[in-house]
Every structure is written in C-alpha cells, then in structure tokens.
Amino acid sequence: MFTLSQLYEMTGMPKGHILFASDCKGDMFCFKLEDCKINNKDCPVWFFNRELCTVNKVSNTFTEWLEQFNTL
C-alpha cells in the first residue's frame, strides 16, 4: 500500500495519505497519516478523486465507512 500511495502522489494526490481501497474508476479511499498519528483506533476515511486531484472526507471513522456499505 505504501508503494501504491507513492505512485498516486506522483500523479497528483497530496502527500500524507495511505491508500487502502479503490473504486472502479481508480479513485482511492485512504487515511491521512496525521489522523492516524492522533487517533490510531478508528480514523476518518478520505476519498481521493484521481480526475479532479481532490481529497474529501467521506466518513468520520473507518467503522462508520464500513457501515455505509452494509446499508446498501
């Protein structure tokens, strides 16, 4: 995951993120390293839009992010 994160940084993703999942378009779900250092139990989840080169928070915790998929 570290190497993949570095590759995405080279294509425009801001530094300081750890990728852990992708969607079918190559966009990535990630954690911010800063968040993990502060609260390493249940960190917020961020979404990197590869086309727009933006990172937006999509969930306040990883658990909350997983629960969103359970309701689909």
Side-chain angles (χ1 to χ4, degrees):
M1 296 314 308
F2 179 73
T3 302
L4 183 60
S5 297
Q6 287 182 319
L7 288 172
Y8 268 77
E9 286 176 358
M10 289 191 285
T11 64
M13 184 179 77
K15 292 186 181 227
H17 297 84
I18 299 296
L19 308 174
F20 69 87
S22 66
D23 68 6
C24 61
K25 297 178 185 176
D27 301 320
M28 300 298 289
F29 293 96
C30 56
F31 299 114
K32 279 190 177 181
L33 281 173
E34 183 179 309
D35 292 341
C36 295
K37 289 177 183 176
I38 295 169
N39 178 9
N40 62 7
K41 293 183 182 179
D42 202 2
C43 298
V45 175
W46 298 79
F47 181 75
F48 172 64
N49 183 310
R50 189 174 52 91
E51 186 176 306
L52 301 175
C53 287
T54 58
V55 179
N56 297 300
K57 185 162 56 167
V58 293
S59 179
N60 291 319
T61 65
F62 181 69
T63 302
E64 182 181 288
W65 182 77
L66 286 174
E67 288 174 354
Q68 291 172 8
F69 288 100
N70 288 334
T71 60
L72 294 178

